[in-house]
Amino acid sequence: ILTTIGFQVLSNFANDYGDGIKGTDDDREGEQRMVASGIISPKQMKSAMIITAIITLILALLVIYVAFGSENFSYSILFFFLGITSIIAAVKYTVGKSAYGYSGLGDIFVFLFFGWLSVVGSYFLYTKHINFDIFLPATAIGLLSAAVLNLNNMRDRIKDKSHGKNTLVVKIGSQKAKLYHYGLIIGALICSIVYVNRNYYSPTQFIFLVAFIPLVMNMVVVGKNIIHKELDPELKKVALSTFLYAILFAIFN
């Protein structure tokens, strides 16, 4: 849990730093950013990134040692590489000239690292093998995480475009972004239902559907949206619904 929090915090710090020094967060809608608002300096945020990366790497090494010890050295090397890759991915989202968040690749990386790597990787840490059915809920988590990012990018589309941040929403436009958003949520629902059907043992397994009630409501709001800044409250709704889904799915499946 601490390792996961470390990666998330590092990603947020890097995003704040990268967008702040590039001016993308100037006059930002929604939550205040530390660097862009001048609350802390870019140098201080960079130091925070370095410290967080070091702490997270140490935590990751401890996780790897507890999971594999010295008996499974090849697994330890693999997960150390994945840990380093995760740190690089967290930083390169908005930092540097080749930041992938500025070229429309953010959704793919969020799907891979918040979905497949985090879920399937965590499962492997505990079990030491891969059950390919796990890719179904992993895909669902990845799609819902991408939905959070897509909603954020829909809100910021105009300002992102003016600052050269070519997110997927900037590239495809608002209307197609809405259809894409529907696809992400519906795709997550389908993957979850398929998993339960393949591994069914109790009706309580479907309790995760509770988390999709606010997500369906979000789809309605997104469909009617015209003023981008009005999507800001929806970010919390989708993020918390994703968290609720993860908790319910884990407990009852």
Side-chain angles (χ1 to χ4, degrees):
I1 291 173
L2 290 174
T3 301
T4 302
I5 292 173
F7 283 130
Q8 180 64 66
V9 171
L10 176 60
S11 178
N12 289 348
F13 281 175
N15 192 19
D16 192 305
Y17 173 80
D19 283 343
I21 62 175
K22 293 176 180 178
T24 310
D25 279 342
D26 294 347
D27 302 319
R28 177 184 175 85
E29 301 286 354
E31 75 280 356
Q32 192 175 39
R33 291 296 187 90
M34 299 296 100
V35 173
S37 63
I39 295 176
I40 64 174
S41 68
K43 183 178 180 180
Q44 289 173 315
M45 183 59 82
K46 193 172 184 179
S47 297
M49 288 165 54
I50 293 171
I51 293 170
T52 304
I54 293 172
I55 293 173
T56 304
L57 184 58
I58 293 172
L59 290 168
L61 288 172
L62 291 173
V63 167
I64 292 169
Y65 177 76
V66 170
F68 304 121
S70 57
E71 297 81 15
N72 298 286
F73 185 71
S74 58
Y75 291 158
S76 297
I77 294 296
L78 171 62
F79 272 78
F80 176 75
F81 170 77
L82 291 174
I84 295 295
T85 303
S86 297
I87 290 174
I88 294 172
V91 173
K92 291 296 291 180
Y93 176 62
T94 58
V95 176
K97 294 182 179 179
S98 58
Y100 60 85
Y102 280 69
S103 57
L105 298 176
D107 298 69
I108 295 175
F109 278 80
V110 163
F111 173 80
L112 291 175
F113 282 89
F114 285 81
W116 284 6
L117 181 58
S118 61
V119 178
V120 179
S122 296
Y123 179 85
F124 190 85
L125 281 173
Y126 286 109
T127 65
K128 311 298 186 296
H129 73 272
I130 292 181
N131 175 356
F132 285 96
D133 277 355
I134 295 300
F135 278 93
L136 289 167
T139 296
I141 288 290
L143 292 175
L144 292 176
S145 298
V148 176
L149 177 62
N150 182 58
L151 202 58
N152 178 84
N153 291 340
M154 289 176 69
R155 181 197 64 185
D156 297 339
R157 184 181 70 86
I158 296 175
K159 285 186 172 59
D160 284 345
K161 186 176 182 179
S162 66
H163 287 90
K165 187 176 183 180
N166 295 313
T167 63
L168 184 60
V169 174
V170 171
K171 289 186 174 184
I172 66 178
S174 293
Q175 292 305 311
K176 290 183 179 179
K178 290 181 180 181
L179 296 176
Y180 170 58
H181 193 71
Y182 303 154
L184 292 172
I185 294 175
I186 294 171
L189 177 60
I190 292 172
C191 287
S192 304
I193 292 175
V194 170
Y195 177 88
V196 173
N197 284 333
R198 286 177 58 86
N199 299 273
Y200 181 80
Y201 60 84
S202 169
T204 59
Q205 289 177 268
F206 286 100
I207 200 170
F208 72 85
L209 291 172
V210 171
F212 278 89
I213 296 174
L215 290 172
V216 171
M217 294 170 61
N218 166 258
M219 291 170 64
V220 174
V221 173
V222 168
K224 296 179 178 179
N225 177 257
I226 297 175
I227 303 173
H228 295 91
K229 66 180 181 180
E230 293 180 353
L231 290 173
D232 190 61
E234 295 299 305
L235 276 167
K236 183 180 292 185
K237 182 187 294 183
V238 177
L240 290 176
S241 297
T242 301
F243 179 67
L244 176 62
Y245 162 83
I247 296 297
L248 294 176
F249 203 92
I251 291 174
F252 293 99
N253 283 279

